[in-house]
Amino acid sequence: MTRLKTNTLTALPATVRRPAYDRSRLTPGIVHLGLGAFARAHLCEYTEDALEREFGAWGVTGASLQRPDQRDRLAPQDGLYTLLKRAPAGPELRLIGCLGEVLVAPENPATLIARMASPDTRIVSLTVTEKGYCHDPATGRLKADHPGIVHDLANPLSPRSAVGLIVAALKARRAAGLGPFTALSCDNLPHNGGVLRGLVRDFAALSDDGLAQWIEAEGAFPATMVDRIVPATTQADIAEVAGLIGLEDAAPVIGEPFRQWAIQDVFAAGRPAWERVGAQMVSEVAPFEFMKLRMLNGAHSSLAYLGYLAGHETVAEASGDAVFARFLEGLWAEIIPTVPAPQGVMLGDYGQALLARFRNPAIRHRTWQIAMDGSQKLPQRLLGTIRDRLKAGAPIDHLALGVAAWMAYVAGTDEKGAPIDVRDPLAATFAEKSLAAGRNAEALSRSLLGIEAIFGTDLPREPRFTRAVETHLAALFDKGAKATVAGVAS
Ligand code: CS2
C-alpha cells in the first residue's frame, strides 16, 4: 500500500478533511516536548484549526524525549498523519498538517536545544506526563535526587529531562539577548504552569542565579486545562485507518470528538489564534483544572483500578456496567462539593456528560493504560479531594474505595490469580511491600499509606481515611471488585 506523504495526498478520498492552508508556506513557531498521541490529537488539532482561521508562523516541531519511534513513523510521512475522531454515530477523518520535523532528544540534544533557542520559536509546549516533571507529586517541588535531574546537572549541554532542556534553551536565549519563549504545560497536573515555573527556576538556581532571576522576571508559564480522551493507537486502528484513507499511515491518532482547552492568557511572544477555534482563554484556570482533574481523571483512575480488577478491559465496558455507573454517580456526589464550578458550568451536567463520554462504545480506552503511573496521579486526582472532604467532615466512602482499588491493583495479582503488569516509577517498591504484606489488608494498606511521596505525612494520620481504605481493601480481597462496588453503590 502507498505511504501517506506530501506527494501521495491526491489519492486521499474526499471523506478525509485536509489542511485548508498552504502547507508549503508553513514555518515552525512551536516546539512540542513529548510528542505522544495526546498532543497530536489535541494541541496539534487546535493549532491546525487556528492556522486555517488565521495563518501564521505556527508550525510545530515535535520532540521525543526518549524513543525514536514517533520520528521513525512520521518522518517518511513528512509529519502528516490522520486524526480519527470516533463518535458513537461513526468516524470522522482529518489529515493534520501543522507538524513538521520530529527530533529525538537523546540522539542529538544540541539540535533540539538550538531549535528551542531559535528566535523563531515562540512557544515550547509539553505533554511529558506527570512523571516527566521529575518532581515530588505530593509537594510539587523538584526532586533534586531524581536520576534525570542528577544527570542534567552534571551534563547541562546534553540534558534528558524536560526541565533540563528548557533551562538549557532559556540560558542560550538569554546569552543571545533574546527574550524567553512561553513554556506551555499541557499535562494533567494541578497548577501546571506554576509548577513548571517553580521547577525550571529551581533547576536554574542550582547552577546560575542570574538565569533563575531572569526566568522569574521574564518567563511565561501559562496554566492550562487540557481534555480529550485519546487511547493509545493499536495495530487494529492502523489497519482500519489504512482501509478508510486508502494509504498507509503508520502514525494515526484516535480520539473522541469532544475536546476542551482552558488557557491562562499570559504569553511572552504571541500565540496562534486558538481562542478563535474553541480554546477558552481565561484569567483563572484553577476552577477548570479542579473540575477536570477531580471529576474526569479521579473517576477515570477509580474506574481503571476497579474495572481492571473486575475483568473489564475498557472504560466503556466498565462504565456500561450499571453497578459501576451507580458507583460513579456516588463518587461525583462526593467530589462536586469540593470543586468551585467554572463560570456557566453546572457540575451535575458535567458529570452526566462525562458518563456519556466514558460510555462511548467506539472508544476502546484500556483500564490498564489509565492504571499506569498511579503514584504520580493519585495526589491530584483523589487525595486532594479526600483532604477537602475530611476537613468538611463529609463522607469519603467512594473516594476511599478508589484508593483501596489502587492498592489491590499494585499488589500485583488479579482476581483470577494472574499477575498484573504494574507500570509505575514506584513499581519495585509496591512489589516489595506486597511481598511482605501478602493479602493482609491491614498490613498492606498501612505499608502503602506510608509512602510519603504519594500520601504526604497527614493522610496516614487520618483514621477516618485509613480505616475506610483498609475496610475496602479487605472487601476487595474477600469478595472481589464487582461485589465491593455493588456494596457502596447501592
Ligand atoms: C487518563 C487521561 O490515562 C489517563 O490517566 O485519565 O489520559 C485522560 O484520558 C485525559 O486526561 C482526558 O483528557
Side-chain angles (χ1 to χ4, degrees), residues 10 50 79 209 272 277 313 401 412 422 486:
T10 43
D209 261 338
V277 295
E313 199 191 336
L401 178 53
V422 177

Side-chain angles (χ1 to χ4, degrees), residues 188 226-229 292 296-297 300 365 370 377 381:
N188 286 316
V226 294
D227 191 9
R228 171 167 258 169
I229 291 174
K292 196 262 173 170
L296 188 157
N297 297 111
H300 238 186
H365 202 181
I370 298 164
K377 294 175 175 172
R381 294 184 177 204

Side-chain angles (χ1 to χ4, degrees), residues 62-188:
S64 295
L65 301 195
Q66 283 159 16
R67 290 178 306 272
D69 333 11
Q70 294 271 2
R71 189 268 322 272
D72 294 348
R73 291 192 207 105
L74 285 156
Q77 304 183 177
D78 306 319
L80 291 165
Y81 63 91
T82 315
L83 169 61
L84 168 60
K85 289 184 261 187
R86 291 192 192 277
E92 206 185 293
L93 291 156
R94 177 171 195 186
L95 194 70
I96 301 289
C98 65
L99 181 64
E101 204 179 350
V102 180
L103 304 172
V104 181
E107 285 180 3
N108 196 343
T111 305
L112 174 56
I113 293 168
R115 185 65 68 88
M116 293 162 75
S118 148
D120 295 341
T121 299
R122 291 180 281 163
I123 295 175
V124 171
S125 49
L126 301 79
T127 46
V128 294
T129 81
E130 296 85 348
K131 63 176 179 278
Y133 286 78
C134 306
H135 72 314
D136 177 352
T139 63
R141 302 300 301 270
L142 189 71
K143 254 170 92 60
D145 61 348
H146 187 288
I149 297 301
V150 172
H151 170 274
D152 292 358
L153 280 171
N155 305 277
L157 296 179
S158 55
R160 54 181 189 223
S161 74
V163 170
L165 285 161
I166 290 174
V167 171
L170 287 174
K171 189 179 174 94
R173 291 180 83 98
R174 182 170 178 243
L178 293 171
F181 45 69
T182 300
L184 186 66
S185 168
C186 298
D187 281 294
N188 286 316

